[in-house]
Amino acid sequence: MTSTPLSAPLSGARRRLGSSAGTKSRPAPPSPGRIFVRRILRSRTNVVCLAFLGLLGVIAVAAPWIAPYDPAYQKLASAFLPLFSDGHILGTDQLGRDTLSRLIYATQISLVAPLIAVGFAAATGLPLGLLAGYLGGKFDWITGRIADALIALPALVLALAIIAIFGPGLVNAMLAVGAASAPRLFRVVRGSTINVREETYIEASKVVGCSTPRTVLMHVLPNVRSPLLVQITLMLSLALLAEAGLSFLGLGVQPPTASWGSMLRSAFDNRFQSPWMVVPPGLAIMLTILSLNMLGDGIRDAVGQERRKS
């Protein structure tokens, strides 16, 4: 009788253990969200835009500590001071208020106002767009016709009508802007949802018995996030521009609260006494909108790379 050597099975067991250990030690692949963020951060333009927007956020939060003066403090004897005069780096306005302090405090309004508008638009347009694209039928037809009717109206005219009903003010103005922007967000989300609902994993979720809310939230919404992010970024810039325009007309932020739009109005009214007053708020609005638009372009390019690779 011949005996089988024990080294062969032992070596085979070692190889199996080594391969399983090597498999366990492999790092997990990055998530799609992390890959998407890496694509965005790969561009220097996107990084600069994010850094500028982050700087604005820090300025808005730290405004009470970094502003050199009270933005509402008036000193008529120091009206229309030029740059770097009497401790005022950016001069003063027609009431002697420090321009730099008002510009810093206005950053709070200019960041909060678009969030209110886009938040209201997302709260109304996002769920309706998801349900209309996923369910279809009469619900899709009814909500689609309502959105078409609202889109046919100029956004500024619709916002002015809503403000005329509820009165001027920051919250009312931004809710009006959000109501005017919601139909466009609805159309984007609806179109993306229609493309997603025919995918195999959606059919599989129906087969295993997932409810409609769970399917929409867990499977449809994550797969429409890319065009949704692009649209939200563009809506933020439009909402900022709308807030500045409404405040310029006196329908947004009310005095003595500072906003970039109201500062532009004061500069326009006193353009002959102090032409420089228009530069700080105008430059702040231009750079912020430019950063949001370029960031939106970067997100769109990242979405395009994701679709090409998929």
Side-chain angles (χ1 to χ4, degrees):
M1 179 183 292
T2 60
S3 60
T4 57
L6 296 177
S7 60
L10 287 176
S11 61
R14 291 192 188 98
R15 285 195 297 268
R16 288 193 296 270
L17 290 174
S19 61
S20 62
T23 303
K24 291 181 181 179
S25 62
R26 292 177 183 174
S31 62
R34 186 172 296 179
I35 295 175
F36 184 72
V37 172
R38 287 178 181 175
R39 289 198 189 105
I40 296 176
L41 298 180
R42 196 176 298 165
S43 172
R44 293 182 179 178
T45 303
N46 296 339
V47 173
V48 171
C49 293
L50 287 172
F52 178 76
L53 295 175
L55 177 63
L56 290 181
V58 172
I59 291 174
V61 173
W65 296 279
I66 63 176
Y69 298 94
D70 183 354
Y73 176 73
Q74 301 179 12
K75 188 177 180 181
L76 298 179
S78 301
F80 299 122
L81 288 180
L83 299 176
F84 303 101
S85 298
D86 196 19
H88 300 280
I89 298 177
L90 296 181
T92 59
D93 61 3
Q94 74 279 8
L95 297 177
R97 297 173 296 189
D98 183 64
T99 301
L100 178 60
S101 300
R102 292 182 63 79
L103 189 71
I104 291 174
Y105 271 89
T107 307
Q108 297 176 338
I109 302 298
S110 299
L111 294 183
V112 171
L115 294 179
I116 296 175
V118 175
F120 182 77
T124 54
L126 177 58
L128 291 177
L130 287 171
L131 292 176
Y134 182 78
L135 298 177
K138 292 184 178 180
F139 183 80
D140 183 22
W141 188 88
I142 294 173
T143 53
R145 300 296 77 74
I146 295 174
D148 291 341
L150 293 176
I151 289 177
L153 297 174
L156 185 58
V157 174
L158 180 60
L160 291 175
I162 297 175
I163 293 174
I165 297 173
F166 296 100
L170 176 64
V171 177
N172 291 340
M174 289 302 99
L175 291 180
V177 173
S181 304
R184 292 167 176 80
L185 184 63
F186 167 85
R187 295 292 296 272
V188 172
V189 175
R190 173 185 172 273
S192 301
T193 304
I194 290 176
N195 294 331
V196 169
R197 73 180 180 186
E198 304 298 334
E199 297 291 338
T200 305
Y201 54 85
I202 300 297
E203 298 295 333
S205 66
K206 295 179 182 178
V207 171
V208 299
C210 289
S211 61
T212 298
R214 180 177 177 82
T215 301
V216 171
L217 293 177
M218 302 301 296
H219 300 288
V220 177
L221 180 59
N223 289 281
V224 302
R225 69 182 185 276
S226 298
L228 181 62
L229 286 174
V230 176
Q231 185 65 22
I232 286 179
T233 306
L234 297 177
M235 287 173 58
L236 285 172
S237 62
L238 293 176
L240 174 61
L241 187 61
E243 185 278 329
L246 292 174
S247 296
F248 183 88
L249 297 175
L251 301 175
V253 175
Q254 300 300 303
T257 305
S259 75
W260 292 342
S262 61
M263 292 178 67
L264 275 179
R265 180 66 191 192
S266 299
F268 175 77
D269 293 337
N270 301 277
R271 58 191 180 277
F272 298 111
Q273 289 84 357
S274 181
W276 163 256
M277 286 174 56
V278 73
V279 175
L283 190 62
I285 294 173
M286 183 191 71
L287 291 178
T288 306
I289 292 178
L290 182 63
S291 298
L292 289 171
N293 287 339
M294 296 184 70
L295 182 60
D297 291 340
I299 295 175
R300 183 194 59 197
D301 294 339
V303 172
Q305 294 177 11
E306 184 177 6
R307 289 178 177 175
R308 288 192 297 270
K309 290 186 179 182
S310 60

